[in-house]
């Protein structure tokens, strides 16, 4: 699956790594693999990716940089897919939600995780002890704010970034 992801500051990825240590039986995201998905774009080979990227760049044309903020630690008790619970860093960004909606106009929304079900977040860990996950959501954290001035095209199958687009696009 290819996706368009928000570039994360190191303060966010460091916080996610620190919190994951308190969930020893959960599957934590490895260093460098934390993501904030703006929109899933689709699947396919390299030619399909090239078409998806081109369409996404066209949809992003003129889109300005925007603000985002980590506001706390939350969880999905039951994940739409994969192991549960999912502990995550909650992201507040009206502009990110508007961007997601804009991209849903151009790319088919993924059922149960996009459109009205879209929850901007950075996954800390999946699975493991539900009680430990619940305790972690009670932890207060200092908010982290940043300006999103680039987005990354991500290839989840290969686990790497394919290219980047700067904002304003």
């Amino acid at each position: 699956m290819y996706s368009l992801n928000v570039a994360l500051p190191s303060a966010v990825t460091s916080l996610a790594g620190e919190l994951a240590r308190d969930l020893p039986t959960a599957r934590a995201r490895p260093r460098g693999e934390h993501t904030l998905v703006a929109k899933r774009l689709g699947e396919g080979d390299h030619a399909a990716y090239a078409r998806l990227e081109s369409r996404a760049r066209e949809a992003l044309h003129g889109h300005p940089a925007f603000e985002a903020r980590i506001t706390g630690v939350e969880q999905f008790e039951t994940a739409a897919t994969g192991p549960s619970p999912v502990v995550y860093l909650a992201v507040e960004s009206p502009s990110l939600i508007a961007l997601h909606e804009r991209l849903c106009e151009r790319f088919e929304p993924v059922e149960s995780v996009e459109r009205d079900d879209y929850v901007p977040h950075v996954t800390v860990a999946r699975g493991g002890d539900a009680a430990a996950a619940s305790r972690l959501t009670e932890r207060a954290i200092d908010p982290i704010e940043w300006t999103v001035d680039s987005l990354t095209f991500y290839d989840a199958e290969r686990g790497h970034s394919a290219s980047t687009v700067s904002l304003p696009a």
Side-chain angles (χ1 to χ4, degrees):
M1 173 65 72
Y2 299 107
S3 61
L4 188 60
N5 295 352
V6 171
L8 295 172
S10 61
V12 172
T13 59
S14 293
L15 175 59
E18 289 170 25
L19 293 170
R21 283 183 275 218
D22 290 336
L23 300 168
T25 62
R27 188 178 75 206
R29 286 283 171 113
R31 185 178 189 94
E33 291 187 19
H34 293 95
T35 60
L36 170 51
V37 175
K39 175 72 182 87
R40 289 158 185 82
L41 302 176
E43 299 179 294
D45 60 12
H46 183 70
Y49 166 73
R51 288 188 298 275
L52 292 168
E53 180 183 341
S54 178
R55 286 178 51 212
R57 285 181 183 274
E58 184 179 294
L60 290 168
H61 183 73
H63 199 282
F66 57 91
E67 301 303 310
R69 182 175 193 238
I70 299 295
T71 58
V73 183
E74 296 182 18
Q75 71 172 317
F76 300 117
E77 290 180 17
T78 304
T81 62
S84 296
V86 177
V87 174
Y88 64 88
L89 297 173
V91 177
E92 180 181 284
S93 177
S95 296
L96 174 57
I97 291 171
L99 173 62
H100 174 79
E101 287 299 321
R102 182 178 181 176
L103 292 167
C104 282
E105 301 287 324
R106 304 274 184 111
F107 296 89
E108 184 71 27
V110 177
E111 192 174 318
S112 77
V113 295
E114 292 190 328
R115 278 251 190 224
D116 291 340
D117 297 317
Y118 177 64
V119 177
H121 69 281
V122 177
T123 298
V124 171
R126 291 179 154 273
D129 180 43
S134 291
R135 283 191 302 276
L136 195 55
T137 64
E138 296 170 6
R139 182 173 302 170
I141 62 165
D142 291 329
I144 301 171
E145 298 180 14
W146 77 102
T147 300
V148 177
D149 57 8
S150 66
L151 300 169
T152 302
F153 291 93
Y154 186 75
D155 180 345
E157 183 177 319
R158 291 168 190 79
H160 68 82
S161 298
S163 65
T164 301
V165 60
S166 296
L167 298 177

